[in-house]
Amino acid sequence: MNATTPEGSASAARIPRHLAIVMDGNGRWAEQRHRPRSFGHRAGQKAVREAVEFCLRQRIEALTLFAFSSENWRRPQDEVGALMELFLKALDKETDELHGHGVRVRFVGDLTAFAEPLRQRMQAAMAKTAGNTALALNVCVNYGGRWDIAQAARRAAEAVARGELTADAIDERTLAPYLSLADLPPPDLFIRTGGEHRISNFLLWQIAYAELYFTDTLWPDVDQACLQRALDDYAGRQRRYGRTGAQVAQAS
């Protein structure tokens, strides 16, 4: 990895603080090469490194990757097993390098479904990098946006039961702290690779006002030039948050 100063045609003022990516297309990339789907997942690791380097170079504060959804357990058992093995190897290989570049790693989702050795590696990676500030790297595993909202509602209900919160006080503002990634700014830019135009239950609450960008490029082929095109597109958009274009122009 090589973190340098921001570059590219997107102005510094239009760089997203938080980038969220659905990494889609590993299996199809492998099938196009007549290889097993696990081959595509391994190839996708290079694109993850490209994305991390890109965010460090652009000084983006947070990168959230959809690595394994709660629905992915439905995939063939051999593919799921290969993914779990890949996670283990990636943790062993990548954590030290990420730590050296000041990246804070966090795994987001219901981690109880994973085998104990993998959970221990995840916890160790999070503990080791907890104090880093160059980039917040959030890896969503066994994650779903509906799960996130449901667990936030459950935690709020528990707070009510303890007398810390009243039911009539629950609104968007009071529920938000119980959601995943509550300590980070919400994603500004959502990217999905692989040609699909769906959110797929990813960060449903958090991307309410994110700009959406879809590309046909399969995830293993995503490089920093591809990510720069997404940022250039983002830089040309006007984010109004319910206001008129004239109001936004006047405020700026």
Side-chain angles (χ1 to χ4, degrees):
M1 295 181 184
N2 182 24
T4 59
T5 56
E7 59 186 43
S9 54
S11 68
R14 297 293 294 152
I15 297 294
R17 297 178 65 193
H18 188 168
L19 177 61
I21 304 178
V22 175
M23 307 178 292
D24 197 10
N26 289 343
R28 283 172 286 156
W29 185 90
E31 289 165 0
Q32 289 174 2
R33 290 156 178 78
H34 307 289
R35 301 295 296 273
R37 292 174 62 86
S38 58
F39 180 74
H41 294 307
R42 288 194 296 273
Q45 282 188 286
K46 179 178 181 293
V48 171
R49 289 191 290 270
E50 289 277 322
V52 170
E53 288 185 17
F54 180 79
C55 288
L56 287 168
R57 179 174 291 113
Q58 295 288 351
R59 295 179 183 169
I60 292 171
E61 295 178 30
L63 171 63
T64 300
L65 302 175
F66 206 7
F68 191 83
S69 76
S70 51
E71 290 82 14
N72 285 155
W73 294 108
R74 303 171 186 168
R75 292 190 175 189
Q77 190 58 45
D78 58 344
E79 181 178 351
V80 173
L83 275 168
M84 297 303 107
E85 183 179 354
L86 184 62
F87 285 160
L88 278 170
K89 290 181 178 178
L91 283 168
D92 290 340
K93 180 180 179 181
E94 305 289 350
T95 298
D96 286 345
E97 186 174 4
L98 291 168
H99 181 54
H101 285 279
V103 177
R104 185 186 73 185
V105 180
R106 178 163 51 180
F107 294 93
V108 181
D110 183 2
L111 305 187
T112 62
F114 296 105
E116 183 62 23
L118 182 53
R119 287 204 308 272
Q120 289 179 354
R121 301 288 218 299
M122 291 178 181
Q123 294 294 342
M126 289 190 285
K128 183 170 188 174
T129 63
N132 294 338
T133 59
L135 173 68
L137 173 61
N138 310 295
V139 183
C140 291
V141 288
N142 195 30
Y143 174 89
R146 291 176 177 175
W147 165 87
D148 197 356
I149 295 170
Q151 66 86 30
R154 183 177 64 251
R155 292 173 62 196
E158 291 169 351
V160 171
R162 293 192 299 268
E164 300 169 0
L165 186 67
T166 61
D168 59 1
I170 297 176
D171 56 17
E172 292 181 27
R173 181 185 61 82
T174 55
L175 185 61
Y178 297 102
L179 288 149
S180 300
L181 310 181
D183 60 320
L184 296 172
D188 301 293
L189 176 60
F190 166 100
I191 298 173
R192 179 165 187 154
T193 67
E196 303 290 354
H197 294 180
R198 294 189 300 273
I199 304 302
S200 293
N201 198 21
F202 183 45
L203 300 178
L204 295 179
W205 179 289
Q206 293 87 344
I207 65 169
Y209 283 98
E211 297 296 320
L212 308 183
Y213 180 89
F214 300 97
T215 174
D216 291 335
T217 305
L218 301 177
W219 178 247
D221 290 328
V222 169
D223 56 15
Q224 296 192 37
C226 180
L227 296 171
Q228 185 62 56
R229 287 192 292 272
L231 256 65
D232 290 342
D233 182 87
Y234 170 84
R237 301 188 189 187
Q238 185 183 65
R239 308 186 74 197
R240 294 191 292 273
Y241 298 104
R243 297 173 295 175
T244 68
Q247 286 176 307
V248 173
Q250 185 177 19
S252 60

